Amino acid sequence: MSTATVAQNDHKEAQDFMPINGTDYLELYVSNSKQAAHYYKTAFGFKSLAYKGLETGSRDFESYVVEQDKIRLVLTSPLKSGTDVGRHIDKHGDGVKVTALWVDDATYAYNEAVKRGAKSYMEPKTEKDEDGKVVTSGIYSYGEVVHIFVERKDYSGTFLPGYQKWESDYQPTSTGLKFVDHMVGNVNEGRMNYWVDFYANVMGFKQIMSFDDKDISTEFTALMSKVMSNGNGRIKFPINEPAPGMKKSQVDEYLEFYEGEGVQHIAVATDDIVKTVSDLKSRGVEFLTIPTTYYDVLTERVGEIDEDIESLRKLGILVDRDDEGYLLQIFTKTVQARPTMFFEIIQRKGATSFGKGNFKALFEAIEREQELRGTL
Ligand code: FE2
Protein backbone atom coordinates (compact mmCIF):
# COMPACT_ATOMS: atom_id res chain seq x y z
CA MET A 1 0.00 0.00 0.00
CA SER A 2 1.26 3.42 -0.88
CA THR A 3 1.96 5.70 2.01
CA ALA A 4 3.05 8.69 -0.05
CA THR A 5 0.85 11.61 0.72
CA VAL A 6 0.40 15.07 -0.55
CA ALA A 7 0.60 16.72 2.82
CA GLN A 8 -1.91 19.44 3.29
CA ASN A 9 -2.29 19.51 7.01
CA ASP A 10 1.06 18.43 8.44
CA HIS A 11 2.46 21.90 8.02
CA LYS A 12 0.97 25.29 7.71
CA GLU A 13 0.45 26.57 4.19
CA ALA A 14 3.29 28.59 2.74
CA GLN A 15 3.30 32.13 4.00
CA ASP A 16 4.76 34.26 1.31
CA PHE A 17 6.73 36.45 3.66
CA MET A 18 9.81 35.53 1.67
CA PRO A 19 9.11 35.74 -2.06
CA ILE A 20 11.86 34.01 -4.06
CA ASN A 21 12.10 34.52 -7.81
CA GLY A 22 14.24 31.47 -8.47
CA THR A 23 17.67 29.92 -8.04
CA ASP A 24 20.29 32.62 -8.68
CA TYR A 25 23.36 30.38 -8.78
CA LEU A 26 24.92 27.31 -7.19
CA GLU A 27 28.48 27.60 -5.93
CA LEU A 28 30.59 24.49 -5.69
CA TYR A 29 33.86 24.37 -3.79
CA VAL A 30 36.11 22.20 -5.93
CA SER A 31 39.75 21.25 -5.89
CA ASN A 32 40.47 22.54 -9.41
CA SER A 33 38.05 25.20 -10.57
CA LYS A 34 39.69 25.68 -13.97
CA GLN A 35 39.35 22.01 -14.87
CA ALA A 36 35.88 21.71 -13.33
CA ALA A 37 34.69 24.64 -15.48
CA HIS A 38 36.04 22.89 -18.57
CA TYR A 39 34.19 19.71 -17.56
CA TYR A 40 30.85 21.48 -17.16
CA LYS A 41 31.35 23.26 -20.49
CA THR A 42 32.46 20.23 -22.46
CA ALA A 43 30.35 17.52 -20.88
CA PHE A 44 27.18 19.42 -19.93
CA GLY A 45 27.12 22.24 -22.49
CA PHE A 46 27.61 25.22 -20.21
CA LYS A 47 29.19 28.44 -21.52
CA SER A 48 31.80 30.70 -19.97
CA LEU A 49 30.19 33.64 -18.20
CA ALA A 50 32.38 35.30 -15.55
CA TYR A 51 35.67 34.96 -13.73
CA LYS A 52 37.49 36.24 -10.71
CA GLY A 53 41.02 35.42 -9.65
CA LEU A 54 44.50 36.90 -9.54
CA GLU A 55 43.86 38.98 -12.68
CA THR A 56 40.87 40.68 -11.03
CA GLY A 57 42.56 41.26 -7.69
CA SER A 58 41.21 38.15 -5.95
CA ARG A 59 44.40 36.90 -4.29
CA ASP A 60 43.07 33.94 -2.29
CA PHE A 61 40.37 32.36 -4.44
CA GLU A 62 39.63 31.73 -8.09
CA SER A 63 36.06 31.34 -9.34
CA TYR A 64 34.81 30.41 -12.80
CA VAL A 65 31.13 30.99 -13.56
CA VAL A 66 29.47 28.94 -16.28
CA GLU A 67 25.94 29.37 -17.55
CA GLN A 68 23.29 27.45 -19.49
CA ASP A 69 19.90 29.14 -19.92
CA LYS A 70 18.83 29.97 -16.32
CA ILE A 71 21.42 27.73 -14.62
CA ARG A 72 24.60 29.31 -13.26
CA LEU A 73 27.35 27.33 -11.59
CA VAL A 74 30.17 29.05 -9.72
CA LEU A 75 33.26 26.85 -9.35
CA THR A 76 35.63 28.06 -6.65
CA SER A 77 39.10 26.88 -5.58
CA PRO A 78 41.62 28.34 -3.15
CA LEU A 79 44.90 29.79 -4.44
CA LYS A 80 46.80 29.01 -1.25
CA SER A 81 46.73 26.66 1.72
CA GLY A 82 45.01 27.30 5.00
CA THR A 83 41.74 28.76 3.71
CA ASP A 84 38.26 27.79 4.82
CA VAL A 85 37.46 26.80 1.22
CA GLY A 86 40.47 24.48 1.31
CA ARG A 87 39.36 23.03 4.63
CA HIS A 88 35.86 22.46 3.16
CA ILE A 89 37.33 20.61 0.17
CA ASP A 90 39.65 18.56 2.38
CA LYS A 91 36.71 17.45 4.51
CA HIS A 92 33.94 17.02 1.93
CA GLY A 93 35.65 16.70 -1.44
CA ASP A 94 34.02 18.70 -4.24
CA GLY A 95 30.47 19.74 -3.40
CA VAL A 96 27.82 22.43 -3.26
CA LYS A 97 28.52 25.17 -0.72
CA VAL A 98 26.03 27.86 -1.75
CA THR A 99 22.47 27.71 -3.02
CA ALA A 100 21.87 31.33 -3.96
CA LEU A 101 18.27 32.49 -4.03
CA TRP A 102 17.17 35.42 -6.18
CA VAL A 103 15.06 37.82 -4.13
CA ASP A 104 13.81 41.39 -4.52
CA ASP A 105 15.08 42.47 -1.10
CA ALA A 106 18.05 40.62 0.40
CA THR A 107 18.02 42.67 3.60
CA TYR A 108 14.35 41.93 4.25
CA ALA A 109 14.80 38.20 3.43
CA TYR A 110 17.75 38.00 5.82
CA ASN A 111 15.98 39.85 8.64
CA GLU A 112 12.85 37.71 8.32
CA ALA A 113 14.85 34.45 8.24
CA VAL A 114 17.06 35.36 11.19
CA LYS A 115 14.05 36.62 13.18
CA ARG A 116 12.48 33.20 12.63
CA GLY A 117 15.52 31.30 13.86
CA ALA A 118 18.01 31.03 10.98
CA LYS A 119 21.70 31.15 11.86
CA SER A 120 23.45 34.07 10.15
CA TYR A 121 26.17 33.29 7.60
CA MET A 122 26.59 36.80 6.23
CA GLU A 123 24.90 40.06 7.17
CA PRO A 124 23.48 42.09 4.29
CA LYS A 125 26.23 43.79 2.31
CA THR A 126 26.12 46.04 -0.75
CA GLU A 127 28.72 45.71 -3.49
CA LYS A 128 28.99 48.18 -6.35
CA ASP A 129 30.74 48.54 -9.64
CA GLU A 130 30.14 50.52 -12.84
CA ASP A 131 27.13 48.29 -13.64
CA GLY A 132 25.24 49.08 -10.45
CA LYS A 133 24.86 47.46 -7.07
CA VAL A 134 24.00 44.06 -5.65
CA VAL A 135 22.92 43.33 -2.09
CA THR A 136 23.68 39.87 -0.69
CA SER A 137 23.10 38.22 2.69
CA GLY A 138 23.26 34.63 3.88
CA ILE A 139 22.00 32.01 6.32
CA TYR A 140 23.13 28.48 7.18
CA SER A 141 21.19 25.39 6.14
CA TYR A 142 21.96 21.67 6.75
CA GLY A 143 25.58 20.60 7.07
CA GLU A 144 27.84 23.38 5.80
CA VAL A 145 25.46 24.41 3.02
CA VAL A 146 24.40 28.06 3.01
CA HIS A 147 21.70 30.06 1.27
CA ILE A 148 22.79 33.42 -0.05
CA PHE A 149 20.01 35.87 -0.88
CA VAL A 150 20.86 37.89 -4.00
CA GLU A 151 19.15 41.20 -4.75
CA ARG A 152 20.16 42.29 -8.24
CA LYS A 153 17.38 44.61 -9.38
CA ASP A 154 19.83 47.56 -9.55
CA TYR A 155 22.51 45.60 -11.40
CA SER A 156 23.13 45.17 -15.12
CA GLY A 157 26.58 43.53 -15.05
CA THR A 158 27.59 40.06 -16.25
CA PHE A 159 27.29 38.28 -12.90
CA LEU A 160 28.22 40.02 -9.65
CA PRO A 161 30.51 42.90 -8.69
CA GLY A 162 34.07 41.60 -8.36
CA TYR A 163 33.74 39.37 -11.41
CA GLN A 164 34.82 40.18 -14.94
CA LYS A 165 33.26 38.76 -18.08
CA TRP A 166 34.98 35.51 -18.97
CA GLU A 167 35.73 35.79 -22.67
CA SER A 168 36.39 32.42 -24.27
CA ASP A 169 36.82 31.21 -27.83
CA TYR A 170 35.44 27.87 -26.70
CA GLN A 171 31.69 28.04 -26.13
CA PRO A 172 30.12 24.59 -26.56
CA THR A 173 26.56 24.33 -27.79
CA SER A 174 23.86 23.91 -25.15
CA THR A 175 22.55 20.44 -24.29
CA GLY A 176 19.11 21.91 -23.63
CA LEU A 177 19.37 22.26 -19.84
CA LYS A 178 17.08 25.12 -18.79
CA PHE A 179 16.72 25.66 -15.05
CA VAL A 180 17.14 24.00 -11.65
CA ASP A 181 13.97 21.97 -11.03
CA HIS A 182 14.85 20.86 -7.50
CA MET A 183 17.86 20.31 -5.28
CA VAL A 184 18.03 17.44 -2.83
CA GLY A 185 19.77 17.37 0.54
CA ASN A 186 20.93 14.33 2.49
CA VAL A 187 20.75 14.77 6.26
CA ASN A 188 21.62 12.52 9.18
CA GLU A 189 19.24 9.87 10.48
CA GLY A 190 16.55 11.49 12.62
CA ARG A 191 17.20 14.99 11.22
CA MET A 192 14.78 15.15 8.26
CA ASN A 193 11.92 16.60 10.29
CA TYR A 194 14.21 19.16 11.88
CA TRP A 195 15.09 20.54 8.44
CA VAL A 196 11.50 20.26 7.23
CA ASP A 197 10.51 22.48 10.17
CA PHE A 198 13.43 24.80 9.42
CA TYR A 199 12.21 25.46 5.87
CA ALA A 200 8.60 25.79 7.06
CA ASN A 201 9.30 28.12 9.97
CA VAL A 202 12.31 30.10 8.78
CA MET A 203 11.51 30.46 5.09
CA GLY A 204 7.74 29.90 4.92
CA PHE A 205 8.04 26.83 2.70
CA LYS A 206 5.33 24.18 2.70
CA GLN A 207 5.69 20.44 2.61
CA ILE A 208 4.28 19.22 -0.69
CA MET A 209 5.17 15.53 -0.49
CA SER A 210 6.28 12.86 1.89
CA PHE A 211 7.78 9.43 1.28
CA ASP A 212 8.48 6.94 4.02
CA ASP A 213 10.76 3.94 4.02
CA LYS A 214 8.00 1.75 2.56
CA ASP A 215 7.86 3.97 -0.52
CA ILE A 216 11.61 4.22 -0.92
CA SER A 217 13.10 0.84 -0.31
CA THR A 218 14.51 -2.15 -2.04
CA GLU A 219 15.21 -5.59 -0.67
CA PHE A 220 18.31 -4.18 1.02
CA THR A 221 18.16 -0.45 1.69
CA ALA A 222 15.70 2.31 2.55
CA LEU A 223 15.40 6.04 2.98
CA MET A 224 12.77 8.64 3.82
CA SER A 225 12.14 11.94 2.10
CA LYS A 226 9.99 15.04 2.43
CA VAL A 227 9.74 17.75 -0.21
CA MET A 228 9.67 21.41 0.80
CA SER A 229 8.60 24.09 -1.66
CA ASN A 230 8.37 27.85 -1.58
CA GLY A 231 5.08 29.61 -2.35
CA ASN A 232 5.46 29.93 -6.13
CA GLY A 233 7.00 26.45 -6.51
CA ARG A 234 10.21 27.69 -8.11
CA ILE A 235 12.31 26.42 -5.21
CA LYS A 236 11.89 22.76 -4.26
CA PHE A 237 14.12 21.11 -1.70
CA PRO A 238 13.52 17.41 -1.04
CA ILE A 239 15.26 16.35 2.20
CA ASN A 240 16.37 12.72 2.58
CA GLU A 241 17.39 10.80 5.65
CA PRO A 242 18.57 7.19 5.78
CA ALA A 243 16.21 4.55 7.15
CA PRO A 244 17.29 1.28 8.73
CA GLY A 245 17.73 -1.49 6.15
CA MET A 246 19.60 -4.74 5.75
CA LYS A 247 22.48 -2.95 4.06
CA LYS A 248 23.99 0.51 3.92
CA SER A 249 21.79 2.88 1.93
CA GLN A 250 22.92 5.41 -0.66
CA VAL A 251 22.26 8.17 1.87
CA ASP A 252 24.51 6.45 4.42
CA GLU A 253 27.20 6.11 1.75
CA TYR A 254 26.85 9.80 0.91
CA LEU A 255 27.05 10.89 4.56
CA GLU A 256 30.12 8.73 5.08
CA PHE A 257 32.01 9.97 2.03
CA TYR A 258 30.90 13.60 2.24
CA GLU A 259 31.69 13.44 5.96
CA GLY A 260 28.44 15.13 6.78
CA GLU A 261 25.17 16.45 5.45
CA GLY A 262 25.07 18.08 2.03
CA VAL A 263 23.57 18.38 -1.43
CA GLN A 264 22.92 14.96 -2.95
CA HIS A 265 21.65 15.89 -6.39
CA ILE A 266 20.76 18.82 -8.57
CA ALA A 267 17.83 18.20 -10.90
CA VAL A 268 17.91 20.25 -14.09
CA ALA A 269 15.00 20.59 -16.48
CA THR A 270 14.92 20.10 -20.23
CA ASP A 271 12.13 20.34 -22.84
CA ASP A 272 13.46 17.40 -24.83
CA ILE A 273 15.02 14.75 -22.64
CA VAL A 274 15.74 12.31 -25.48
CA LYS A 275 17.79 14.92 -27.32
CA THR A 276 19.45 16.24 -24.13
CA VAL A 277 20.48 12.80 -22.87
CA SER A 278 21.71 11.66 -26.29
CA ASP A 279 23.80 14.79 -26.44
CA LEU A 280 25.15 14.43 -22.87
CA LYS A 281 26.06 10.78 -23.53
CA SER A 282 27.93 11.69 -26.69
CA ARG A 283 29.92 14.18 -24.61
CA GLY A 284 30.87 11.52 -22.09
CA VAL A 285 28.37 12.05 -19.26
CA GLU A 286 27.72 8.70 -17.57
CA PHE A 287 24.26 7.66 -16.44
CA LEU A 288 22.86 4.96 -14.20
CA THR A 289 21.53 2.06 -16.21
CA ILE A 290 18.21 0.30 -15.70
CA PRO A 291 17.43 -3.31 -16.71
CA THR A 292 15.70 -3.23 -20.09
CA THR A 293 12.83 -5.28 -18.59
CA TYR A 294 11.75 -1.95 -17.04
CA TYR A 295 10.44 -1.00 -20.50
CA ASP A 296 8.51 -4.22 -21.09
CA VAL A 297 5.75 -3.08 -18.72
CA LEU A 298 6.21 0.67 -19.10
CA THR A 299 3.09 1.45 -21.16
CA GLU A 300 1.07 -0.76 -18.85
CA ARG A 301 2.30 1.26 -15.88
CA VAL A 302 2.20 4.84 -17.19
CA GLY A 303 -0.21 4.65 -20.13
CA GLU A 304 0.33 6.27 -23.50
CA ILE A 305 3.20 8.74 -23.78
CA ASP A 306 4.43 10.91 -26.65
CA GLU A 307 7.96 9.50 -26.67
CA ASP A 308 9.18 6.47 -28.54
CA ILE A 309 9.70 3.70 -25.96
CA GLU A 310 12.61 2.26 -27.93
CA SER A 311 14.52 5.57 -27.65
CA LEU A 312 13.84 5.68 -23.92
CA ARG A 313 15.03 2.08 -23.56
CA LYS A 314 18.19 2.79 -25.50
CA LEU A 315 19.04 5.78 -23.31
CA GLY A 316 17.74 4.37 -20.00
CA ILE A 317 15.27 7.20 -19.42
CA LEU A 318 12.65 6.53 -16.73
CA VAL A 319 8.97 7.54 -16.82
CA ASP A 320 6.42 8.08 -14.07
CA ARG A 321 2.88 9.41 -13.96
CA ASP A 322 0.87 11.26 -11.32
CA ASP A 323 -2.61 12.81 -11.28
CA GLU A 324 -1.47 15.80 -13.30
CA GLY A 325 0.59 14.24 -16.06
CA TYR A 326 3.84 12.38 -16.49
CA LEU A 327 7.55 13.03 -16.19
CA LEU A 328 10.71 11.61 -17.70
CA GLN A 329 13.93 11.45 -15.70
CA ILE A 330 17.42 9.98 -15.61
CA PHE A 331 20.29 10.18 -13.14
CA THR A 332 24.00 10.61 -13.82
CA LYS A 333 26.64 8.68 -11.97
CA THR A 334 28.36 10.74 -9.29
CA VAL A 335 30.43 13.52 -10.86
CA GLN A 336 33.46 13.88 -8.57
CA ALA A 337 36.06 11.61 -6.99
CA ARG A 338 33.90 10.78 -3.98
CA PRO A 339 30.58 8.92 -4.49
CA THR A 340 28.55 11.92 -3.36
CA MET A 341 26.83 14.41 -5.70
CA PHE A 342 25.13 13.64 -9.00
CA PHE A 343 22.73 15.28 -11.45
CA GLU A 344 19.20 14.40 -12.49
CA ILE A 345 17.85 15.38 -15.91
CA ILE A 346 14.07 15.82 -15.79
CA GLN A 347 11.36 16.67 -18.29
CA ARG A 348 7.92 17.38 -16.86
CA LYS A 349 4.86 16.87 -18.98
CA GLY A 350 2.31 17.99 -16.43
CA ALA A 351 3.55 15.89 -13.52
CA THR A 352 4.58 17.85 -10.43
CA SER A 353 5.88 14.85 -8.47
CA PHE A 354 9.34 13.28 -8.25
CA GLY A 355 9.13 9.83 -9.86
CA LYS A 356 7.99 7.67 -6.98
CA GLY A 357 7.21 4.83 -9.41
CA ASN A 358 10.89 4.76 -10.35
CA PHE A 359 12.37 4.77 -6.86
CA LYS A 360 12.79 1.02 -6.63
CA ALA A 361 14.40 0.57 -10.07
CA LEU A 362 16.57 3.60 -9.45
CA PHE A 363 17.77 2.55 -6.03
CA GLU A 364 18.55 -0.92 -7.28
CA ALA A 365 20.68 0.73 -9.96
CA ILE A 366 22.46 2.76 -7.26
CA GLU A 367 22.98 -0.41 -5.21
CA ARG A 368 24.73 -2.02 -8.18
CA GLU A 369 27.12 0.95 -8.20
CA GLN A 370 27.54 0.74 -4.41
CA GLU A 371 28.35 -2.94 -4.72
CA LEU A 372 31.15 -2.17 -7.19
CA ARG A 373 32.50 0.39 -4.71
CA GLY A 374 32.27 -2.08 -1.82
CA THR A 375 30.02 0.31 0.11
CA LEU A 376 26.69 -1.53 0.09
FE1 FE2 B 1 15.31 14.36 -7.86
Side-chain angles (χ1 to χ4, degrees):
M1 190 188 82
S2 168
T3 47
T5 49
V6 175
Q8 275 155 351
N9 303 315
D10 314 17
H11 284 270
K12 50 183 174 269
E13 288 295 303
Q15 307 158 357
D16 239 349
F17 62 79
M18 194 186 290
I20 300 170
N21 302 321
T23 305
D24 197 281
Y25 65 86
L26 300 174
E27 181 170 16
L28 285 74
Y29 285 174
V30 297
S31 52
N32 190 330
S33 57
K34 183 180 260 186
Q35 291 190 3
H38 189 68
Y39 170 74
Y40 283 108
K41 287 173 69 176
T42 300
F44 282 85
F46 284 80
K47 288 183 166 60
S48 299
L49 178 68
Y51 167 81
K52 79 175 172 189
L54 294 172
E55 296 82 353
T56 69
S58 172
R59 308 301 300 175
D60 298 341
F61 305 106
E62 179 177 73
S63 296
Y64 289 87
V65 188
V66 295
E67 178 181 55
Q68 185 166 180
D69 204 329
K70 294 191 172 67
I71 312 162
R72 284 192 290 240
L73 302 179
V74 181
L75 303 152
T76 297
S77 293
L79 295 168
K80 61 178 192 182
S81 63
T83 67
D84 193 55
V85 176
R87 180 206 53 80
H88 192 282
I89 295 165
D90 183 47
K91 182 170 175 64
H92 302 296
D94 292 4
V96 173
K97 172 63 181 178
V98 178
T99 310
L101 304 172
W102 174 31
V103 298
D104 292 331
D105 188 336
T107 307
Y108 172 79
Y110 174 87
N111 289 338
E112 289 297 310
V114 169
K115 192 172 79 188
R116 289 169 160 83
K119 188 176 152 207
S120 173
Y121 172 68
M122 185 176 80
E123 288 189 6
K125 70 169 184 203
T126 303
E127 289 169 290
K128 293 177 186 165
D129 65 16
E130 62 273 18
D131 295 310
K133 67 163 189 175
V134 172
V135 186
T136 53
S137 60
I139 59 169
Y140 281 96
S141 179
Y142 48 78
E144 290 202 73
V145 176
V146 301
H147 295 308
I148 288 186
F149 300 113
V150 181
E151 172 190 332
R152 51 170 72 254
K153 61 180 185 291
D154 301 316
Y155 194 67
S156 61
T158 304
F159 179 54
L160 290 172
Y163 285 83
Q164 69 179 32
K165 195 170 175 21
W166 175 14
E167 305 282 0
S168 173
D169 294 333
Y170 175 59
Q171 295 288 33
T173 53
S174 158
T175 58
L177 304 178
K178 298 186 77 96
F179 57 88
V180 175
D181 183 274
H182 60 275
M183 196 191 73
V184 181
N186 281 339
V187 301
N188 292 326
E189 191 172 343
R191 295 294 282 173
M192 175 179 70
N193 285 329
Y194 174 89
W195 290 105
V196 163
D197 288 343
F198 170 88
Y199 282 107
N201 297 332
V202 166
M203 299 183 66
F205 284 25
K206 63 179 171 179
Q207 184 187 319
I208 56 169
M209 242 162 259
S210 165
F211 306 100
D212 68 15
D213 48 349
K214 287 172 202 66
D215 297 310
I216 316 184
S217 65
T218 67
E219 191 183 344
F220 300 119
T221 70
L223 64 90
M224 297 190 284
S225 189
K226 288 183 177 174
V227 183
M228 302 304 290
S229 169
N230 78 324
N232 62 21
R234 290 183 201 168
I235 306 293
K236 291 189 283 291
F237 291 152
I239 316 256
N240 296 336
E241 75 169 47
M246 275 172 63
K247 295 188 177 183
K248 188 189 287 182
S249 79
Q250 51 168 306
V251 181
D252 289 313
E253 184 195 41
Y254 177 100
L255 294 168
E256 179 184 326
F257 278 90
Y258 200 68
E259 296 192 19
E261 303 176 335
V263 172
Q264 180 213 36
H265 74 266
I266 301 165
V268 286
T270 172
D271 286 340
D272 186 348
I273 196 165
V274 171
K275 186 164 182 301
T276 294
V277 173
S278 305
D279 203 356
L280 291 169
K281 279 199 163 177
S282 74
R283 295 168 189 229
V285 175
E286 295 182 310
F287 292 92
L288 293 177
T289 54
I290 297 295
T292 54
T293 50
Y294 172 91
Y295 298 92
D296 298 343
V297 293
L298 183 61
T299 315
E300 215 172 286
R301 189 166 66 78
V302 301
E304 286 302 314
I305 55 172
D306 303 335
E307 291 72 18
D308 168 39
I309 305 277
E310 207 37 52
S311 305
L312 301 182
R313 186 201 300 263
K314 219 174 78 203
L315 294 166
I317 294 167
L318 310 176
V319 190
D320 198 26
R321 187 179 280 283
D322 63 22
D323 294 343
E324 292 160 276
Y326 67 97
L327 62 82
L328 304 109
Q329 63 187 167
I330 190 169
F331 298 81
T332 71
K333 294 188 178 182
T334 53
V335 293
Q336 59 288 302
R338 300 191 197 187
T340 49
M341 196 190 76
F342 56 90
F343 285 86
E344 171 182 351
I345 315 298
I346 184 166
Q347 181 179 5
R348 295 186 180 280
K349 299 188 106 169
T352 53
S353 52
F354 294 84
K356 176 175 172 279
N358 292 323
F359 287 168
K360 190 161 187 288
L362 174 64
F363 297 147
E364 283 169 353
I366 293 175
E367 284 172 7
R368 286 193 291 278
E369 297 288 310
Q370 283 182 266
E371 188 130 50
L372 293 173
R373 293 193 282 260
T375 60
L376 184 62

